Amino acid sequence: MHDDEWDDDDWPDDDESAEVVPCPSCGGDVYEDAEQCPHCGQYVTHDRPPLEGKPVWFLLLGLAGIIAVIVLLAGLGPLLF
């Protein structure tokens, strides 16, 4: 389907939950998931910590895995397992 063949029903709905953030270069409104600013054309990088938004169980599981690897590599595995 070509762009000019789209009906009004085919276009994505305006989602009120879509977050809009200011472009770091020009200050224009940019959707949070956008890779490039539609106003100035600069690529947008979102500086977020890598663990932001991860659930607590994910972090605890990762920590438990790291501790298990350290214990096994230290030779303490037979004593604990």
Side-chain angles (χ1 to χ4, degrees):
M1 176 179 285
H2 294 87
D3 287 339
D4 56 349
E5 296 176 3
W6 283 36
D7 294 331
D8 288 337
D9 296 335
D10 295 332
W11 287 100
D13 294 334
D14 290 334
D15 189 6
E16 296 279 334
S17 66
E19 294 287 327
V20 179
V21 295
C23 172
S25 298
C26 70
D29 288 339
V30 179
Y31 285 111
E32 188 176 38
D33 297 334
E35 293 181 12
Q36 198 171 10
C37 176
H39 305 286
C40 66
Q42 293 293 323
Y43 285 95
V44 179
T45 57
H46 302 285
D47 297 331
R48 282 191 238 162
L51 298 178
E52 181 182 334
K54 301 287 187 213
V56 174
W57 66 266
F58 180 81
L59 301 175
L60 293 176
L61 184 63
L63 183 61
I66 291 170
I67 291 171
V69 168
I70 291 172
V71 166
L72 290 174
L73 291 176
L76 302 175
L79 298 175
L80 297 176
F81 298 109

